[in-house]
Amino acid sequence: MSRDIDDVREVQARYVRAVDSRDGAAVARLFVPDAKVQIFYGHGGRAELLGELLGRDAIAHAVGAMMEPHPEGGWSHHTTHDSIVTVDGDRATLDVQFVVFSVRAKARPRDGWPREARGAQGTITPIESGYYRSTLARTDGRWLIVNYRIDHSLPMAFPAEGT
């Protein structure tokens, strides 16, 4: 049982790293072929459905083509906390809090950093938070995501299709 819990948590860890890298193919490999992702704003009965993705191809496209590319010297960094994992045979659920940080490096001056410069040169700002709630199935010995619900704490805007 403990190994299964660790494996389910690892799926989540791989998900956030692939999203930070904007690697849609790597994200899609974590899902069953007919998986569903639902994106909400708010919590509980007040949650507003913002969008739904059906299948690996749609999930890969959303991460690889619809997410804003990182700017020069920029990155996103997901952190997940306080995971609650329940395993029942070949099914599992995972409920985890998340925070996404925007990381922006300062450009190194042409002549190098000034003598008085110390520490990290740039900013780290929290930009998103909420909960990831997923259902997973053990498929051919691997845990894969069947349903993935994202509950954002802040409203979200998504580009129109084709942009």
Side-chain angles (χ1 to χ4, degrees):
M1 179 74 85
S2 176
R3 178 66 188 162
D4 287 330
I5 290 171
D6 289 344
D7 290 347
V8 168
R9 286 182 179 144
E10 185 175 328
V11 171
Q12 181 63 51
R14 291 185 182 283
Y15 171 87
V16 297
R17 284 169 175 78
V19 169
D20 284 340
S21 298
R22 305 298 192 255
D23 188 344
V27 170
R29 286 192 296 271
L30 300 171
F31 288 82
V32 297
D34 60 345
K36 177 169 55 172
V37 173
Q38 293 177 302
I39 305 164
F40 290 86
Y41 164 56
H43 299 286
R46 300 171 300 151
E48 172 191 355
L49 179 64
L50 300 176
E52 191 170 82
L53 304 168
L54 300 174
R56 281 183 179 158
D57 290 343
I59 294 165
H61 177 74
V63 173
M66 291 179 62
M67 291 185 77
E68 184 177 359
H70 298 299
E72 181 76 27
W75 191 253
S76 65
H77 181 81
H78 281 72
T79 60
T80 55
H81 312 277
D82 303 324
S83 61
I84 299 170
V85 179
T86 304
V87 176
D88 184 11
D90 288 335
R91 303 289 285 185
T93 60
L94 173 64
D95 189 317
V96 63
Q97 297 176 6
F98 74 89
V99 177
V100 181
F101 295 91
S102 172
V103 180
R104 299 291 182 258
K106 286 185 179 178
R108 181 184 175 107
R110 194 164 153 178
D111 297 330
W113 297 109
R115 291 179 56 89
E116 66 275 6
R118 298 282 186 273
Q121 300 297 306
T123 60
I124 301 172
T125 308
I127 58 171
E128 292 180 31
S129 68
Y131 293 85
Y132 294 132
R133 296 180 167 111
S134 54
T135 304
L136 298 91
R138 190 185 341 249
T139 307
D140 297 327
R142 291 181 55 221
W143 286 102
L144 296 174
I145 302 166
V146 176
N147 293 302
Y148 200 76
R149 178 179 170 134
I150 303 169
D151 285 306
H152 282 282
S153 298
L154 300 171
M156 302 296 289
F158 297 100
E161 195 165 320
T163 59

